[in-house]
Amino acid sequence: MASSSSDSHLLDIPYLARLARITLTPQECELFAQQLDRVLEHVALINELDLTDIEPMAHAISHYDILREDQLEPGLSHEEALANAPQQANGLFIVPKVLE
Amino acid sequence: MLPFLSIAKARKLLVTKKISPRELLDELQKRIVTINPKVQAYLSWDYEKAALEAQRADLSKPLGGIPIGIKDAILVQGAPAFSASRILEGYQASYDATVIKNLRAAGAYPLGRLNMDEFAMGSSTETSAFHPTYNPWDLSRTPGGSSGGSAAALAAGMAMAALGSDTGGSIRQPAALCGCVGMKPTYGRVSRYGLIAFASSLDQIGPLTHTVEDSALLLNALAGPDPKDSTSLSLPGEDFTSQLGRDLQGIRIGIPKEYFVDGIEPQVRQCVEKAIAQLTSLGAEAVEISLPHTQYAVSVYYIIVTAEASSNLARFDGVRYGHRSKKANDLLSLYEQTREEGFGAEVKRRIILGTYVLSSGYYDAYYLRAQKVRTLIRRDFEEAFSKVDLLVSATSPETAFRCGEKSNDPLKMYLADIFTIAANLAGICGISLPCGFAQKEGKKLPVGLQLLGPSFAEKMLFRVAHAYEEATAWHQDPPPLL
């Protein structure tokens, strides 16, 4: 995949696509580069703020990671868990060979 | 007219045996069969299964016999759940979402799969991988989104009520554009277990209904702690209808000046200003206030939402469920090809942006900064709510826009959410309800009024929204017959 198309843009789309495990066509790379340039220009607004001593907010509420009692309960059966598998055999998900 | 009945009225007919649950379902079925081909709000529905549920309905329960339309992102055991994406095509849910369990416990049952933007990424329901949905008020316009199927089905009389999910306005904005009531509860109020995740720190399930009372009735069933969602809050049980009917004496409404700027359509602004005057004539006191960091909300939102989405959507890899590419010859190309074929353009775009803002060297500049500005946005609301009980604005700066009008310009589409996203960033609750109509090219288009309240103030929002609704007739107008 050509990466030269992104040289004039803020984002290196082919590199990000590899990180995100998505094959993109050269046309998609060029389109996204143009569109996301504009989005990033807008997003750059937040650079004008002084954020010294401001705590980052990761959650919408102050209570989170509320844990339940650790009690046994039935989960999905083997068959149910495999019911949507694109490919399965012998009670396992099948994927292309990983090790030679 | 039966299809536009509120839940509250339908329940009276059901318990007095003037109508049976099956007859109620059959009325909706008739509407769906004739109208859905034009509006395309439902992706699918299973009448036979619904008829069995209607037959078994326990009318002694608060929502006994009431069918509820379900956004395609919410799992119903044995039903398809694609989140309107090709990558989940063929997927059948293996369990009920907690909200579905809760609805069943209250006597209601799910009816149909409602269209949405793919993985809820959009504001027009045009990014659905299957087909767009059209606005019942003008079929050349979008119903808004992402819960556009839910809002359009309701507005067209094809559902009595529906569930949606709201990450940046996805319940409130389509409710506004289709002329119904849409509530985004406080983050943590309703379990997200069984909601196909988009942005986990922002997502919240909520009801779309014909009336404010119905919204409160549905929230009664939906809300509650869930051991399966570590962000659902353990709050004392509440009856959200308990303040309906109270007047507005002593209520202070804040008018955020940053929400009344250029760019808001004049007809929308007029409707909202009239609604504020109406609220004050009902006894509320209006005060101008400021939310100084409003202009940063869209930026913060699109950094956080894409970061969380890129992480959440990593699970779609072609191994355990959904689409798998037939072109792959090794594991890496299996992932890459499956995701290329399975995701639509908007989803890919957001995954790429999210990957960027989380990547080494950019994390501090984007993601961490955005989280800090999120703190400032929440503080704006805390400051405002120390002076007023709730905030009032337009839900959307415009009425329903034309199909295709924004679909090639992501930034333009993102700015459509300008009044709704801050509530998700702050975690607070909000409701949109009809407050008038704009006239465009000879068509009436609904305008939505947004009320925002502090965390856990849903009851107060319902009280104010209900008082307004009782004093006006906007919600009684169905769209011209399709």
Side-chain angles (χ1 to χ4, degrees):
Chain A
M1 190 187 303
S3 61
S4 56
S5 65
S6 295
D7 286 354
S8 57
H9 296 292
L10 293 165
L11 300 187
D12 181 351
I13 303 282
Y15 169 70
L16 293 167
R18 276 197 300 281
L19 286 183
R21 301 285 186 264
I22 305 179
T23 307
L24 294 181
T25 63
Q27 292 81 358
E28 279 176 314
C29 287
E30 182 55 32
L31 180 68
F32 291 176
Q34 285 171 16
Q35 291 171 328
L36 292 177
D37 270 0
R38 287 194 60 216
V39 173
L40 282 181
E41 276 165 30
H42 182 87
V43 158
L45 257 185
I46 63 168
N47 291 328
E48 68 190 38
L49 288 167
D50 177 8
L51 299 173
T52 319
D53 299 330
I54 306 291
E55 283 290 309
M57 177 176 166
H59 283 269
I61 43 170
S62 47
H63 305 282
Y64 50 89
D65 291 344
I66 304 152
L67 301 181
R68 62 173 177 260
E69 290 298 307
D70 187 14
Q71 281 167 343
L72 270 181
E73 56 172 293
L76 295 182
S77 70
H78 214 99
E79 290 72 26
E80 285 167 328
L82 282 166
N84 282 293
Q87 206 187 341
Q88 54 156 310
N90 307 321
L92 303 167
F93 295 105
I94 302 298
V95 294
K97 203 189 275 182
V98 180
L99 295 172
E100 289 303 324
Chain B
M1 224 183 340
L2 209 50
F4 293 97
L5 266 189
S6 67
I7 294 177
K9 284 189 181 143
R11 281 284 300 156
K12 280 189 191 125
L13 295 179
L14 285 167
V15 294
T16 55
K17 307 242 183 292
K18 294 207 168 70
I19 186 172
S20 73
R22 179 63 183 267
E23 285 166 337
L24 187 63
L25 173 67
D26 286 350
E27 283 296 323
L28 286 173
Q29 166 73 5
K30 267 190 254 167
R31 290 284 292 185
I32 296 173
V33 168
T34 52
I35 290 173
N36 198 58
K38 293 175 203 160
V39 174
Q40 301 188 15
Y42 284 92
L43 288 167
S44 65
W45 72 98
D46 187 337
Y47 170 73
E48 304 297 324
K49 208 181 239 179
L52 282 176
E53 305 226 40
Q55 241 140 22
R56 287 198 298 255
D58 179 352
L59 294 179
S60 69
K61 294 187 169 163
L63 298 176
I66 302 293
I68 311 279
I70 308 296
K71 186 177 184 177
D72 200 35
I74 298 170
L75 306 192
V76 174
Q77 188 172 17
F82 305 162
S83 225
S85 180
R86 292 273 174 219
I87 211 160
L88 273 171
E89 200 168 2
Y91 177 76
Q92 283 208 331
S94 40
Y95 62 94
D96 271 344
T98 298
V99 287
I100 300 298
K101 275 190 188 155
N102 291 351
L103 282 182
R104 290 190 197 281
Y109 62 92
L111 170 64
R113 308 299 301 170
L114 289 163
N115 200 19
M116 55 186 282
D117 283 295
E118 184 178 1
F119 285 109
M121 298 181 189
S123 308
S124 67
T125 316
E126 291 169 296
T127 73
S128 166
F130 302 101
H131 52 71
T133 294
Y134 301 106
N135 193 311
W137 294 88
D138 177 350
L139 295 173
S140 71
R141 293 174 187 274
T142 84
S146 67
S147 310
S150 303
L154 198 57
M158 295 191 288
M160 300 200 69
L163 295 191
S165 61
D166 192 315
T167 305
S170 279
I171 290 173
R172 289 161 288 156
Q173 184 255 19
L177 271 42
C178 291
C180 27
V181 176
M183 147 67 59
K184 182 203 100 69
T186 305
Y187 185 85
R189 180 69 94 172
V190 176
S191 167
R192 294 181 293 111
Y193 182 70
L195 170 67
I196 297 171
F198 166 20
S200 305
S201 82
L202 303 159
D203 296 342
Q204 192 66 189
I205 295 171
L208 290 101
T209 53
H210 288 307
T211 67
V212 174
E213 182 185 15
D214 282 3
S215 190
L217 284 169
L218 262 186
L219 191 59
N220 274 352
L222 298 173
D226 178 13
K228 291 193 160 71
D229 176 0
S230 68
T231 61
S232 77
L233 295 170
S234 230
L235 299 163
E238 276 186 64
D239 176 3
F240 293 103
T241 65
S242 66
Q243 290 192 8
L244 300 183
R246 283 188 57 185
D247 67 22
L248 300 187
Q249 292 304 323
I251 293 280
R252 282 169 309 163
I253 57 176
I255 317 297
K257 62 178 186 200
E258 292 83 0
Y259 284 51
F260 290 82
V261 286
D262 296 345
I264 172 166
E265 281 180 8
Q267 293 193 74
V268 169
R269 191 185 179 122
Q270 275 167 19
C271 288
V272 173
E273 282 169 353
K274 273 191 198 152
I276 292 167
Q278 180 99 43
L279 288 168
T280 54
S281 79
L282 291 167
E285 181 196 346
V287 189
E288 187 181 274
I289 57 110
S290 173
L291 298 168
H293 296 93
T294 296
Q295 60 167 316
Y296 305 105
V298 171
S299 303
V300 170
Y301 178 78
Y302 278 95
I303 292 171
I304 289 174
V305 96
T306 57
E308 293 188 17
S310 72
S311 166
N312 269 326
L313 270 59
R315 76 193 61 183
F316 300 105
D317 56 8
V319 173
R320 289 152 301 156
Y321 38 68
H323 175 72
R324 171 185 287 197
S325 173
K326 293 188 171 60
K327 288 187 205 152
N329 44 28
D330 59 20
L331 195 58
L332 183 62
S333 68
L334 174 79
Y335 298 151
E336 292 181 334
Q337 289 291 341
T338 294
R339 289 159 68 79
E340 160 71 354
E341 294 165 16
F343 290 137
E346 181 60 21
V347 176
K348 288 177 190 165
R349 199 156 38 228
R350 293 203 194 190
I351 291 175
I352 295 292
L353 183 57
T355 303
Y356 175 69
V357 300
L358 289 176
S359 64
S360 165
Y362 298 99
Y363 180 92
D364 285 358
Y366 288 104
Y367 188 62
L368 192 62
R369 269 192 92 78
Q371 285 187 313
K372 289 180 179 178
V373 185
R374 187 176 181 184
T375 301
L376 297 178
I377 289 168
R378 181 163 67 174
R379 282 189 196 162
D380 281 357
F381 282 104
E382 284 166 356
E383 177 75 12
F385 290 131
S386 70
K387 297 178 190 137
V388 296
D389 297 299
L390 72 154
L391 303 172
V392 180
S393 74
T395 308
S396 165
E398 58 192 338
T399 53
F401 43 91
R402 287 206 176 280
C403 301
E405 190 181 317
K406 298 179 200 281
S407 40
N408 293 321
D409 188 344
L411 184 59
K412 209 166 161 193
M413 189 72 89
Y414 297 172
L415 292 170
D417 299 331
I418 197 153
F419 297 152
T420 47
I421 57 183
N424 300 76
L425 292 169
I428 60 175
C429 55
I431 191 168
S432 177
L433 69 159
C435 73
F437 292 95
Q439 294 286 343
K440 273 193 190 164
E441 293 152 23
K443 298 253 169 73
K444 274 168 76 180
L445 298 176
V447 176
L449 181 72
Q450 176 174 246
L451 312 180
L452 296 175
S455 295
F456 316 121
E458 285 89 344
K459 241 196 268 197
M460 186 268 304
L461 283 190
F462 285 133
R463 168 186 167 188
V464 177
H466 185 255
Y468 176 79
E469 186 185 72
E470 289 281 288
T472 55
W474 311 118
H475 64 289
Q476 292 165 1
D477 257 19
L481 262 186
L482 299 156

